[in-house]
Amino acid sequence: MADTHAIQSLPMPTFAKVRYNAWQLDDMIPATETATTPFFMKNKGNGIEVSGLSTTYQHLTEALTAQGVILMSMVQAKIDYPALLEKMVGTVITKTTDRLSAQNFAQFNTGIFVYIPEDVQFDDVLHLTLNHLAASGKDLVARIFVYIGTNAKVDILQEIHTIGDQKTKASVVVEVIADVGAQVTYANIDAFNEQTTAYINREAEVRDHATLDWQNAEFNDGNAIIRLVSQLNGEGATSHANVIGLTTKKQTQGFVTTILNRGRHTLGHIFQRGVILNRSTLVFNGIGKIIKGAQGSDAQQESRVLMLSRRARGDANPLLLIDENDVTAGHAASVGRVDEDQMYYLMSRGISEQVARKLVIRGFMGEVLAKMPTKEAQQQVVTEIDRKLKHEDESN
């Protein structure tokens, strides 16, 4: 049994300029709902949909199964591969990272487990969908673990949704290991509903000459704090952390995006774009850290926030921590309003103000949008942007 006192003695994760103590994210009651049919994944090829404690979709080609790929729910993995889980889960985000991560480790009862052996090449996108069944008012406590072996290659599209309208909380921790020479794109579309208050923590260990690129699209409607970290531990390791987010109504979304350059000749770039509507709050914290001994490394970050309401609050806070001389590093940050010249140009050609704003915002987020791994995912992001913009003229 987990040591509750030890967990409570750990610090809460730091999200500068975000007040979230009242959200009570350190008080979770894991939900136990089940489902029998898929909600989103029907004939989508390789992938899995986990809804509550149930697996509602699961498919791998015979060729991938024959190569040793493992794709299953955490519930099933605890039964089939207990030794492998004990060896791997908790190695990237440890029990002592912070109070919320430790609590997740102690309480998680659902999630997804992926193991991709060395040299496996995915021709199609691997879909990972996690649904919070919120009918009982209990909380989602989920763990996702993904291992990508030496010289393996995969594009992953992960989605998170709420099913139901009860007021709940969610704790989702995602651990990724990209082993030597692995090539990984990990795209996320997070879409918890307005009644779900969420803590999402994603962290990757990137080893020698491996590349892990995040494409992170945050379209949650409720309050959320989101942590995204790449540990560049191996020589020549590379990670691009691309993040887009939209906030509406009175919600708050706080981000901490971090890249740690530990290995020599590592490259870590952070690129964040946020749009704020109504009375909402969006805070981008970007941290680039080059450890002593990481010669020849490169740490860059750029965070831009676009405000569509005078009642909204936005922050972009870059931080560079450099402990080595032979490196390159830089940052840029801005918070501003829609370019009136752009709006005038579009409207002068017969486009309505509402459509013009959509086009400006899509263009503002276009660099991340274009890197989503499928056309379907790109369209899904566009649909989420349009859905969020419907709240622009609301006064609440």
Side-chain angles (χ1 to χ4, degrees):
M1 182 175 291
D3 187 336
T4 303
H5 178 74
I7 292 174
Q8 291 299 315
S9 68
L10 292 171
M12 295 288 278
T14 300
F15 288 81
K17 299 188 178 182
V18 180
R19 297 179 180 177
Y20 70 92
N21 289 339
W23 301 359
Q24 297 182 318
L25 288 168
D26 57 347
D27 181 16
M28 309 288 283
I29 302 175
T32 56
E33 278 86 356
T34 59
T36 57
T37 58
F39 293 92
F40 299 98
M41 293 193 63
K42 298 177 182 178
N43 302 318
K44 279 198 173 182
N46 292 313
I48 188 170
E49 181 181 57
V50 173
S51 304
L53 303 188
S54 305
T55 300
T56 48
Y57 178 93
Q58 186 174 6
H59 176 75
L60 270 181
T61 63
E62 291 182 3
L64 290 171
T65 301
Q67 292 178 81
V69 175
I70 301 171
L71 173 67
M72 59 180 57
S73 71
M74 276 291 183
V75 172
Q76 192 63 41
K78 286 179 179 180
I79 298 170
D80 293 353
Y81 298 98
L84 190 59
L85 260 65
E86 184 175 358
K87 177 183 176 182
M88 290 191 157
V89 174
T91 57
V92 181
I93 301 176
T94 69
K95 302 176 186 178
T96 58
T97 298
D98 58 64
R99 190 188 308 173
L100 298 186
S101 296
Q103 178 195 52
N104 178 284
F105 186 89
Q107 289 189 297
F108 79 88
N109 65 344
T110 187
I112 298 170
F113 181 75
V114 181
Y115 182 91
I116 301 173
E118 62 180 354
D119 297 323
V120 172
Q121 309 284 307
F122 272 73
D123 295 326
D124 299 318
V125 171
L126 177 62
H127 295 265
L128 310 178
T129 299
L130 179 66
N131 298 321
H132 173 30
L133 304 182
S136 69
K138 294 182 180 179
D139 308 314
L140 174 68
V141 185
R143 198 93 174 189
I144 297 175
F145 187 93
V146 180
Y147 171 81
I148 304 99
T150 301
N151 296 322
K153 183 177 180 181
V154 64
D155 291 340
I156 294 170
L157 176 60
Q158 179 203 306
E159 300 179 39
I160 304 178
H161 305 273
T162 306
I163 308 298
D165 57 4
Q166 294 295 306
K167 188 174 182 179
T168 60
K169 292 170 286 189
S171 169
V172 180
V173 170
V174 181
E175 299 179 273
V176 182
I177 295 176
D179 218 328
V180 177
Q183 303 293 310
V184 186
T185 297
Y186 202 119
N188 309 286
I189 302 176
D190 296 338
F192 284 125
N193 71 11
E194 190 172 354
Q195 297 300 314
T196 303
T197 300
Y199 168 65
I200 304 172
N201 184 4
R202 295 184 172 97
E203 188 162 347
E205 178 188 348
V206 189
R207 296 175 179 172
D208 289 350
H209 306 292
T211 297
L212 189 146
D213 289 340
W214 301 100
Q215 315 298 338
N216 211 36
E218 296 296 337
F219 294 105
N220 303 298
D221 288 336
N223 294 331
I225 47 175
I226 299 120
R227 181 175 180 266
L228 182 68
V229 181
S230 290
Q231 303 179 28
L232 304 183
N233 291 346
E235 182 169 358
T238 297
S239 182
H240 295 83
N242 300 311
V243 179
I244 56 175
L246 266 137
T247 57
T248 58
K249 298 185 179 180
K250 295 180 181 180
Q251 78 170 133
T252 295
Q253 287 199 103
F255 297 81
V256 174
T257 304
T258 304
I259 296 185
L260 305 175
N261 298 70
R262 288 198 175 102
R264 293 163 54 93
H265 306 290
T266 52
L267 183 148
H269 289 182
I270 297 170
F271 182 89
Q272 302 185 110
R273 289 286 188 271
V275 176
I276 317 176
L277 308 174
N278 312 122
R279 299 180 184 180
S280 63
T281 298
L282 185 150
V283 178
F284 279 143
N285 295 293
I287 302 172
K289 185 172 184 179
I290 299 180
I291 307 299
K292 182 68 176 177
Q295 293 97 339
S297 292
D298 181 27
Q300 305 289 335
Q301 59 175 290
E302 179 181 331
S303 298
R304 309 284 184 191
V305 177
L306 187 63
M307 300 179 66
L308 296 181
S309 169
R310 297 185 183 278
R311 297 168 296 176
R313 183 173 76 87
D315 279 296
N317 309 304
L319 180 63
L320 287 174
L321 304 171
I322 311 299
D323 294 330
E324 181 58 58
N325 292 321
D326 181 22
V327 298
T328 56
H331 64 76
S334 68
V335 178
R337 303 193 184 279
V338 173
D339 190 319
E340 295 301 328
D341 290 338
Q342 284 183 321
M343 291 292 294
Y344 176 80
Y345 176 84
L346 291 168
M347 293 172 66
S348 70
R349 278 148 179 79
I351 298 174
S352 69
E353 181 177 1
Q354 185 179 21
V355 173
R357 283 178 180 266
K358 287 183 181 181
L359 293 174
V360 168
I361 291 166
R362 288 183 192 177
F364 182 69
M365 295 184 165
E367 188 166 337
V368 178
L369 174 62
K371 293 177 180 176
M372 298 302 289
T374 67
K375 294 292 184 183
E376 182 182 7
Q378 292 174 8
Q379 183 55 51
Q380 187 173 343
V381 171
V382 169
T383 300
E384 288 294 319
I385 291 172
D386 292 348
R387 181 184 66 82
K388 284 274 196 176
L389 287 175
K390 291 180 181 178
H391 300 305
E392 181 180 355
D393 295 325
E394 296 181 8
S395 59
N396 56 331

